[in-house]
């Protein structure tokens, strides 16, 4: 699996839960320094955007290693 495609799949589209929270809060909530509680609302409405970079990179590297391009499956050469 292509490393960059994993990044696209990881941040593409909102889940049903994300959409419910966005409706409740009136859309995506951006973090505002003067109002720290908005950081929590930001995470609730856009969890994949709020996840740390190392988390996204780790997921991409894991899947890239676990499912190499052209592979017949995990750990097999296609």
């Amino acid at each position: 699996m292509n490393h960059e495609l994993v990044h696209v799949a990881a941040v593409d589209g909102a889940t049903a839960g994300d959409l419910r929270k966005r409706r409740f809060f009136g859309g995506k909530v951006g973090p505002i320094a003067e109002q720290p509680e908005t950081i929590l609302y930001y995470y609730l409405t856009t969890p994949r955007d709020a996840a740390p970079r190392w988390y996204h990179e780790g997921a991409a590297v894991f899947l890239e290693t676990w499912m190499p391009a052209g592979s017949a499956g995990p750990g097999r050469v296609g």
Side-chain angles (χ1 to χ4, degrees):
M1 180 167 266
N2 183 302
H3 179 93
E4 299 307 323
L5 287 177
V6 174
H7 286 302
V8 171
V11 297
D12 188 39
T15 65
D18 296 340
L19 295 174
R20 279 193 304 275
K21 291 171 189 163
R22 288 178 190 176
R23 276 193 301 276
F24 179 79
F25 288 112
K28 293 180 184 178
V29 178
I32 302 169
E34 294 80 27
Q35 298 174 344
E37 68 278 4
T38 60
I39 295 169
L40 173 63
Y41 304 147
Y42 171 65
Y43 177 75
L44 290 174
T45 57
T46 55
R48 285 164 296 289
D49 287 344
R53 252 185 225 178
W54 60 263
Y55 180 83
H56 289 290
E57 200 57 37
V61 170
F62 172 78
L63 286 173
E64 178 182 38
T65 303
W66 187 65
M67 298 182 69
S71 171
R76 298 184 211 133
V77 177

